[in-house]
Amino acid sequence: MSTPTKLYEGKAKILYTTDDPGVLLTQFKDDATAFNAQKKGTIAGKGEINCTISQHLFQLLERQGIPTHFIDCPSASTMRVKAVKIIPLEVVVRNIAAGSLCQQTGLALGTVLNPPLVEFYYKNDALGDPLLTIDRLRMMALATPEQVEQLRSMALKINVLLTDFFQRCAITLVDFKLEFGMEGEQLLLADEISPDTCRLWDQADTDPDRRVMDKDRFRRDLGGVEQAYQHVLERVLAQITPV
Ligand code: TMP
């Protein structure tokens, strides 16, 4: 077996080659960043937690007909994935107004969005991942019009499935970010789905700070970051394998 070569190191994950050119190995890190890496820190145990949560969510989505890049997890913090050509878009689905939506529109935190909002951001750290209009997206040829419609409909279907799953965990799925890639002609859900990439509110608590179970605890210095991630993991595992 040849030694894995580091292909790319991102803010939260490292990507390695494997013996099979169609397969990559992802190492989930404990490192955390926010505000385009202006804020840096560590969340102890995050790598294992996010890898495990992502594994279960990818498997759940696969069972419901959403093709993903997930293959398996050789260890708690590593995931083997299909090698895909990442589409440079971040697809955000919002069920409830929070974060940049409130900052940019003045909408009150917690406003229910019905139907859910689907947004496309340009995945480009140097530019700070700007929000795109559909016309800009077309002009820049970041995805074909057919791909854009496919991304939107997959994102909305994933939203229905994840909202229903988190509801069973007594967690409200406020919003989340997805990334997609192409394996030949097939569009696959890629990256991760974790408390780093979702806003998750504990339904057992209405306090606007205490209910936060996601990376907003780190972004906003709310404390209890590790515990919140651990609680999400425990609830996900309890739903996947009911005791
Ligand atoms: P936003 O409100 O800051 O635009 O974030 C929307 C959702 O996207 C939220 O669930 C967090 C997630 N997200 C990421 O996964 N990566 C990012 O770089 C950003 C800005 C947001």
Side-chain angles (χ1 to χ4, degrees), residues 204-243:
D205 205 327
T206 52
D207 180 87
D209 288 346
R210 274 202 317 259
R211 69 185 171 188
V212 173
M213 302 181 82
D214 56 73
K215 196 167 141 188
D216 271 350
R217 297 209 76 83
F218 171 77
R219 293 189 189 99
R220 295 168 45 208
D221 293 319
L222 296 175
V225 189
E226 282 86 359
Q227 294 88 328
Y229 276 58
Q230 184 62 38
H231 287 148
V232 174
L233 174 65
E234 284 163 14
R235 293 204 202 173
V236 166
L237 291 179
Q239 279 311 310
I240 298 287
T241 43
V243 277

Side-chain angles (χ1 to χ4, degrees), residues 11 36 90 92-94 98-101 103-104 119 121 129 174-178 191 196-199 215-216 219:
K11 287 177 280 200
N36 202 14
E90 300 198 342
V92 169
V93 182
R94 300 180 190 269
S100 69
L101 181 66
Q103 281 157 20
Q104 292 169 12
E119 298 174 332
Y121 293 80
D129 297 344
V174 173
D175 58 31
F176 57 96
K177 184 265 302 181
L178 301 172
D191 195 48
D196 270 11
T197 63
C198 301
R199 282 199 175 89
K215 196 167 141 188
D216 271 350
R219 293 189 189 99

